[in-house]
Amino acid sequence: MAQRKKYAFPANRESLEDYYDMTLSCYKCGYCKYVWPSRIQHDKFTGQCPSGEKYQFESYYASGRMEVVRGIIEGHLKWTDRLNHILYTCTMCGACDESCGQVERVYPTDVILEARRTAVKEGQILPGHQQLAKSVSKHHNLYESDHADRNNWAKGLADVKSRSKIIYFAGCTTESLKPSIAKSTSKLLKSLGVEFGILPDGWCCGMPLFDTGQTDDGVKTLKHNIEQIRDTGAETVIFSDAWCYKAFRDSKDYGIELGFKVLHLTEFLAPYLAKGKLKFDRGTNETVTYQDPCYLSRYFEVYEQPRDLIKSVKGVTLKEMYRSRRESFCCGAAGGVKFQFPEVTEHASSTRIDEAKHAGLSKIVTACPSCQISLEDASKDNGMEIYDIAEYLSEGLKKTKK
Amino acid sequence: MIEPAVLERLKDIVGSEFATDDPEVCIAYSRDLATYLKFGKYRSPDCVVLPSTTSEVQNIVAVARQFKTPLIPLGSGINVASAHIPRKGGIIMDLRRMNNILEIDEEAVTATLQPHVTIARMSTELQRKGFFIPVPGAPSTVTVGSNYTHGNTNKASLRFGFQYSHIVSVEMVLPDGSLLRTGSWADAFSGDRSWPRGPGPDLTLLPRYALGLHGIVTGITIKAHPLDDICLPIWAAFEHVEDATPAFVEMVHREICTGSSLYGGFKYNSYSADTAECAWRQSRIHPEFILALTIQGSKRRVAFEEKVVRELTDKNNGRIITDRLPFYQMFVDTHMAMSASLYSEFAFKYWASPGAGPSFLGPSSMDKIIPCFKAMTNLASEDEAFGDVDWGNWEFNRSMIAYPDQGGHFAIIEGGIAAHPTDPKAIKAYKRYVPKLIKALADIGVSPDQSRANTRPGEFGISPEYLELAEKFRHALDEVGIMNPGVISPLIYR
Ligand SMILES: Cc1cc2nc3c(=O)[nH]c(=O)nc-3n(C[C@H](O)[C@H](O)[C@H](O)COP(=O)(O)OP(=O)(O)OC[C@H]3O[C@@H](n4cnc5c(N)ncnc54)[C@H](O)[C@@H]3O)c2cc1C
Ligand code: SF4
Ligand code: SF4
């Protein structure tokens, strides 16, 4: 999202009550539910809100959630399973913010997030989210993986460095579940002769904790990483995981000045591509599509760099799905949703796979391990191939070198 | 509270995941713009049900009837008049799951749709096939089931007429649960073809402005038009309302343009400005009146009408400013049928900074446009909350739109205070301002609805005898009184 402009009072919001006027200023215009009207490409694919599309009741759309939050503030609603379900099935994809930003500027995700923080303060932590926090506190990752194994992927590809101008932060999802992304990223960086290091003791970035309202825990783990990075004297940190990228980019919201530059891998590679220093050839002619990770695209407007990189691969044609860029449909993984309500993730990612199939596509490239995993899970029986952009490009690198 | 037996029956009909009385779900149906502006009350339904087929709708009606439970159909809930806010509790029937485009008949140039298809979706699909529909004066997120029957003013599309005149057939579940199919659906010999019109007596407009009282629209066929050669938005600017109005009136009476509205300059500024600062600067630079027009048709027609617009603009000391129109290309691309679709237009900041504040709507004759604008200006000069007469204070700028209605015999005048609607100061100032305004307008013979200010007075000029008959008719259809009780058409609250 570009610059956020709020004209409502008060300017500084610190508690849920401070968001009261935001909930009231929702006019029920409904723009947050759909692809922005002038950009509709196909009438079957016009929904924008993953949770609304699944549950259909107004409460599961941003506009309805504004009423639910009003109900909490006014004391009409007590904490119940349904209330938590409504609050925590939002994937924080930001599609509603994007549309509402063009009409009323309620910025629903801000309101929903504050409601989640309030829920946590009042002891309402859902089991899946509690588990997250436990795992992060004990293992420093989301998946209860052995912390000692975190840099296993790096053997022969990347080194822990005490001083380095560039740090690659792979993140715990990649380290635990998708090490191939980290390997591919390292290969790409090496092919450009980039000198980089990895952290000796990197922890989870904290994003799912922030998303689930467990802000203090999130700040703790984020701060640990920032200190580690500062110790290396790094000027730039590269991310291949959109969640981690967002956690660091949002650090100002938690009063933290980073003192180094935060770049997604695709942002880092873009200037090299522009200068002709990157050439890819996967040895095949094929058409692929691109899934925008919400935390990279809608939140930080990284739309073109991944596309330019994909288009630069010899013989590859990039075809957009009906909903793309600002109108992209979330894979359903974010917002802490997949840890508590995986059925929402499943619904969103299968909807997305259906869309790709409907558009005659069979290969999807994305730029975040979580998007990759959820789309893969929805593709088990339908032959859709899902790639992370680092893998997709680095495979092209191999062929070029031959 | 809903009787447990009712909820059980509803769950049996639609599946347990699509019917609930959870307050966390019900509350989302309790408020709309009118309630926010304090012209209505927050009222939650007792339960919500989401049917997916016409027969489910029939079965739900049967349950509501059996248990004498109020039943309110819901489209998008954007009617800005609380028409769907339950006055006596009961069941909200959210039609969201009935959202299929059933057919676009390219020979008959019609679209057959389930009620919850949005105008945006229908429009996109029609345009892909080379057709268009005149779009309503509302966000394009409204649903066809409601908007085609309830869209009231259709802002001055003199060429295409009112929106409801495009309805070819409707399928409706009546309050007794029976299924009414009108138009060519009622023609035993028409086969699958939907052609205007069906056999008589024609009940196709039964749902029109009935606010759900006469039953639930479950299907609708709409007449579309082949895309025109050209869709040309053209805006003219005038320094004085005394110049803008005669130009406007003459254009309306000559029946040119598919859409025409007269805007106080401030509206223009707030539409085109991105920030409060920008709106403020623009209002300093352009304290003018804007005629927002769309010319649409064959090349010859557009050339002819453009010539007339230019001549009338020139004659009345105006100038064409189309190149400054913020969404020019979008109008052309989306084939907007009317200029006042500034409201429904497909990409614009309706509530752009500084936002539209509380407003009112009033019918008047065309010759009252100038006195109305002047009355507002005078009031603004008397009340410092509304800035100086140069409209320098954007925070509380008054704004006004006039557009022709009923074939140009009347003007509808919408007035408002353009301030951010969440600004408590604006609301306070509005409360002080409106009674003065109502009095000033009454002095010149214009009577906005005093009791509800911004809410729509329905069609004005309805005789009490007609209303009485309409009420008898409603009673005949729904003697139990289950359908949207507490509201009678046209929007008279009880
Ligand atoms: C910014 C703005 C500008 C507007 N400008 C105009 C304008 O210029 N001219 C104009 O005419 N309108 C205007 N409107 C109002 C809007 O066009 C209409 O109220 C529209 O029809 C609402 O559609 P909806 O789907 O949201 O209906 P809802 O708000 O959901 O419902 C409206 C009424 O219809 C009933 N209803 C809904 N669906 C059905 C159905 N399937 N069968 C039977 N009854 C049903 C409901 O019970 C309710 O009483 C404007 C609205 C906005 C927000
Ligand atoms: S776009 Fe914003 S104002 Fe409109 S319904 Fe959604 S949240 Fe409310
Ligand atoms: S952030 Fe996404 S899932 Fe959440 S309310 Fe907005 S559109 Fe829906």
Side-chain angles (χ1 to χ4, degrees), chain B residues 2-16 18-20 47-50 56 59-61 63-64 69 71 90-93:
Chain B
I2 198 85
E3 277 186 53
V6 175
L7 187 58
E8 277 317 302
R9 293 277 298 278
L10 295 179
K11 286 183 173 176
D12 285 346
I13 295 167
V14 295
S16 55
F18 293 122
T20 180
C47 82
V48 184
V49 62
L50 304 176
E56 286 180 5
N59 292 337
I60 294 165
V61 169
V63 172
T69 308
L71 181 63
I91 307 164
I92 282 267
M93 184 195 280

Side-chain angles (χ1 to χ4, degrees), chain A residues 3 5-9 20-46 52-61 63-72 74 76-84 86 101-105 322, chain B residues 17-20 22-33 36-38 42 48-50 76-78 94 96-97 99 101 116 118 120-121 124-125 128 138-141 273-277 330 334 343-353 356-357 394-395 420-425:
Chain A
Q3 211 191 342
K5 301 181 189 99
K6 293 171 193 165
Y7 292 102
F9 312 104
Y20 188 50
D21 63 323
M22 306 267 293
T23 68
L24 290 180
S25 67
C26 167
Y27 274 68
K28 312 296 164 214
C29 66
Y31 281 107
C32 50
K33 294 180 176 132
Y34 308 107
V35 169
W36 191 253
S38 59
R39 298 197 277 268
I40 292 178
Q41 298 291 320
H42 195 291
D43 94 85
K44 287 203 165 42
F45 301 99
T46 55
E53 292 294 296
K54 175 153 173 63
Y55 297 105
Q56 309 264 336
F57 289 115
E58 178 66 15
S59 288
Y60 288 87
Y61 289 97
S63 45
R65 287 193 169 101
M66 295 308 97
E67 287 322 294
V68 170
V69 174
R70 173 179 68 78
I72 300 172
E74 288 177 354
H76 302 310
L77 298 179
K78 303 275 164 273
W79 299 109
T80 59
D81 288 349
R82 174 69 94 167
L83 180 55
N84 286 329
I86 290 168
Q102 298 188 59
V103 280
E104 180 54 9
R105 300 186 177 124
Y322 304 117
Chain B
E17 72 271 41
F18 293 122
T20 180
D22 287 350
E24 303 84 351
V25 172
C26 293
I27 196 170
Y29 299 89
S30 67
R31 186 178 75 91
D32 73 342
L33 175 69
Y36 159 56
L37 293 175
K38 311 261 190 285
Y42 301 167
V48 184
V49 62
L50 304 176
S76 308
I78 306 176
D94 184 340
R96 167 161 301 282
R97 291 172 73 214
N99 63 1
I101 297 181
H116 210 285
T118 61
R121 271 182 66 208
T124 310
E125 206 45 24
R128 273 197 335 159
S140 50
T141 44
D274 258 342
T275 62
E277 166 77 8
M330 180 272 303
T334 52
Y343 283 95
S344 59
E345 67 185 349
F346 285 12
F348 84 110
K349 307 168 176 80
Y350 179 56
W351 291 293
S353 151
W394 68 267
E395 266 187 326
H420 197 284
T422 59
D423 182 345
K425 276 192 293 176

Side-chain angles (χ1 to χ4, degrees), chain A residues 32-33 48-52 60-63 65-66 89-97 108-109 112 116 298-299 330:
Chain A
C32 50
K33 294 180 176 132
Q48 279 279 261
C49 173
S51 57
Y60 288 87
Y61 289 97
S63 45
R65 287 193 169 101
M66 295 308 97
T89 45
C90 161
T91 66
M92 290 282 160
C93 71
C96 50
D97 288 1
T109 58
I112 298 164
R116 290 181 178 185
R298 265 194 287 262
Y299 280 86
C330 170

Side-chain angles (χ1 to χ4, degrees), chain A residues 27-220:
Chain A
Y27 274 68
K28 312 296 164 214
C29 66
Y31 281 107
C32 50
K33 294 180 176 132
Y34 308 107
V35 169
W36 191 253
S38 59
R39 298 197 277 268
I40 292 178
Q41 298 291 320
H42 195 291
D43 94 85
K44 287 203 165 42
F45 301 99
T46 55
Q48 279 279 261
C49 173
S51 57
E53 292 294 296
K54 175 153 173 63
Y55 297 105
Q56 309 264 336
F57 289 115
E58 178 66 15
S59 288
Y60 288 87
Y61 289 97
S63 45
R65 287 193 169 101
M66 295 308 97
E67 287 322 294
V68 170
V69 174
R70 173 179 68 78
I72 300 172
I73 298 172
E74 288 177 354
H76 302 310
L77 298 179
K78 303 275 164 273
W79 299 109
T80 59
D81 288 349
R82 174 69 94 167
L83 180 55
N84 286 329
H85 192 254
I86 290 168
L87 288 182
Y88 285 99
T89 45
C90 161
T91 66
M92 290 282 160
C93 71
C96 50
D97 288 1
E98 193 66 51
S99 296
C100 193
Q102 298 188 59
V103 280
E104 180 54 9
R105 300 186 177 124
V106 171
Y107 296 118
T109 58
D110 286 0
V111 180
I112 298 164
L113 188 58
E114 191 58 37
R116 290 181 178 185
R117 287 185 191 132
T118 307
V120 169
K121 272 183 216 150
E122 299 188 13
Q124 297 294 316
I125 311 182
L126 300 180
H129 298 155
Q130 220 161 13
Q131 190 56 35
L132 278 184
K134 263 195 206 153
S135 180
V136 171
S137 132
K138 191 162 168 208
H139 304 283
H140 307 308
N141 63 61
L142 297 166
Y143 309 95
E144 299 183 2
S145 309
D146 191 339
H147 186 53
D149 293 343
R150 70 195 169 281
N151 287 340
N152 282 359
W153 63 268
K155 280 186 196 110
L157 286 168
D159 300 312
V160 169
K161 287 191 180 151
S162 54
R163 301 293 295 169
S164 177
K165 281 197 171 160
I166 298 177
I167 288 289
Y168 167 47
F169 187 95
C172 69
T173 304
T174 297
E175 288 160 356
S176 303
L177 307 178
K178 282 281 170 196
S180 60
I181 296 178
K183 291 180 189 172
S184 302
T185 302
S186 304
K187 284 178 200 160
L188 284 166
L189 296 177
K190 286 202 153 177
S191 77
L192 291 167
V194 174
E195 296 275 332
F196 69 97
I198 57 173
L199 295 183
D201 184 24
W203 289 5
C204 166
C205 64
M207 196 61 231
L209 297 171
F210 292 123
D211 271 347
T212 52
Q214 305 180 79
T215 314
D216 293 344
D217 293 338
V219 168
K220 198 168 139 200

